[in-house]
Amino acid sequence: MAPSMISLAFFVLLIVGSANAQLSTSFYSSSCPKLSSTVQSTVKSAIANEARIGASILRLFFHDCFVNGCDGSILLDDTSSFTGEKNANPNRNSARGFDVIDNIKTAVENVCPGVVSCADILAIAAADSVAILGGPTWNVKLGRRDAKTASQSAANTKIPAPTSDLSTLTSMFSAVGLSTKDLVALSGAHTIGQARCTTFRTRIYNETNIDTSFATTRQSNCPSTSGSGDSNLAPLDLQTPTSFDNNYFKNLVNKKGLLHSDQQLFNGGATDSTVSGYSTNPTSFSSDFAAAMIKMGDISPLTGSNGEIRKNCRATN
């Protein structure tokens, strides 16, 4: 092969290699050494101000990853010529925490401008939220770049709904490479946070696999008539809604899952044994949750020469 051909082949290899670069826990170790402490301090401040925001940030990461990969697409605002994902059915009037991500981005830009993607900031913030609320820790893999586009239609079809049955949940998780065990572990994120009346009304009034006193308690703040009190909130985990623990699974065993999709995990199906195990073994849940979060963070990231590093998480450059 002629020298020019060798250099051309090497150049092509470089391009292909960079486009398929793997995520790494040390990706910013030299380019932004203060990244971890900068993100953590901002998340801590946000959670100190409102404990629920940790769950909201974790949910943002989940909703980002399930729509064309963990690429920060959920953070993009609509414009006159662009329709993002914020007004898709699973996100409209419920996705929150965008201002916290903005604050983190500002703080990170102050210490290393133009280096860290919004997609990575969201991944780190989600992990910090879990840890700050008492949950497991894990080394977040980094090196994602930001999407230049988003898909409202994909957000409408790829994010599991609170009305989903077990078969639907299993297939939707499988579609992004996550196992049934991952499904159960990641659903344990509902040990923190709140849900709106409109998402659980049908369950508390019409379903039979629900503890009667629990249903009555929830009905007191969620009127049966659609359109009345739709945005009234209830904790996804009645016992410790701001502590990341395994009470969510104890609730399911006692038929106190708030959402239809929650109780589906313990309803005589294939996931019952996993739920039972997590309800008695918090260590097992913690380690499986951390592993599943790392796996979810690996869904179709943009790396190398793909995507961009947004200056503003709400808009493309």
Side-chain angles (χ1 to χ4, degrees):
M1 191 183 288
S4 61
M5 290 298 290
I6 291 172
S7 59
L8 179 62
F10 180 68
F11 178 71
V12 169
L13 188 65
L14 273 178
I15 294 295
V16 172
S18 67
N20 296 317
Q22 295 299 302
L23 302 182
S24 158
T25 56
S26 59
F27 189 83
Y28 298 108
S29 57
S30 57
S31 60
C32 192
K34 293 182 180 176
L35 174 61
S36 179
S37 58
T38 302
V39 176
Q40 188 182 69
S41 64
T42 310
V43 176
K44 266 185 179 170
S45 174
I47 290 176
N49 186 52
E50 185 205 8
R52 181 191 172 204
I53 204 68
S56 299
I57 291 169
L58 180 57
R59 185 170 182 259
L60 277 186
F61 184 55
F62 174 76
H63 283 207
D64 185 36
C65 292
F66 264 65
V67 182
N68 302 327
C70 311
D71 60 3
S73 58
I74 194 172
L75 305 173
L76 291 170
D77 281 344
D78 290 359
T79 67
S80 56
S81 58
F82 172 83
T83 303
E85 297 164 17
K86 289 183 177 179
N87 285 305
N89 291 330
N91 298 326
R92 188 173 58 251
N93 298 324
S94 67
R96 57 197 300 276
F98 299 107
D99 52 336
V100 177
I101 302 302
D102 292 340
N103 291 342
I104 298 170
K105 177 66 173 174
T106 299
V108 169
E109 287 296 301
N110 284 338
V111 294
C112 44
V115 172
V116 183
S117 68
C118 298
D120 275 347
I121 283 173
L122 183 53
I124 302 167
D128 283 346
S129 295
V130 171
I132 291 164
L133 293 173
T137 59
W138 61 93
N139 292 322
V140 181
K141 290 159 72 172
L142 301 167
R144 300 170 192 81
R145 288 166 67 84
D146 295 320
K148 296 179 182 179
T149 186
S151 175
Q152 188 175 100
S153 59
N156 278 325
T157 56
K158 294 184 178 180
I159 297 171
T163 52
S164 301
D165 289 335
L166 181 58
S167 58
T168 301
L169 293 169
T170 304
S171 63
M172 292 181 86
F173 273 69
S174 176
V176 291
L178 296 172
S179 68
T180 305
K181 181 176 163 185
D182 296 327
L183 157 64
V184 181
L186 289 170
S187 295
H190 285 179
T191 183
I192 53 175
Q194 310 267 332
R196 294 182 304 142
C197 167
T198 183
T199 64
F200 60 82
R201 175 182 282 122
T202 301
R203 169 154 168 75
I204 63 173
Y205 285 102
N206 300 336
E207 296 186 7
T208 54
N209 60 339
I210 187 168
D211 178 83
T212 312
S213 62
F214 174 71
T216 303
T217 299
R218 292 281 66 95
Q219 288 170 7
S220 66
N221 194 41
C222 182
S224 58
T225 309
S226 181
S228 176
D230 282 3
S231 292
N232 291 354
L233 298 172
L236 286 157
D237 166 13
L238 189 59
Q239 281 78 26
T240 51
T242 58
S243 293
F244 200 98
D245 52 34
N246 70 329
N247 277 335
Y248 167 80
F249 298 104
K250 295 178 183 178
N251 293 336
L252 298 187
V253 171
N254 292 316
K255 298 184 179 179
K256 294 180 180 179
L258 183 64
L259 307 178
H260 175 83
S261 56
D262 288 330
Q263 198 60 56
Q264 280 289 293
L265 301 179
F266 192 84
N267 193 40
T271 52
D272 281 19
S273 59
T274 309
V275 170
S276 294
Y278 290 159
S279 74
T280 58
N281 191 336
T283 306
S284 170
F285 163 53
S286 289
S287 60
D288 287 355
F289 181 83
M293 284 295 290
I294 292 168
K295 198 170 167 185
M296 185 173 77
D298 281 341
I299 299 173
S300 306
L302 296 172
T303 58
S305 56
N306 293 319
E308 64 182 11
I309 304 297
R310 278 185 224 143
K311 295 182 179 71
N312 173 355
C313 290
R314 294 175 181 263
T316 56
N317 292 342

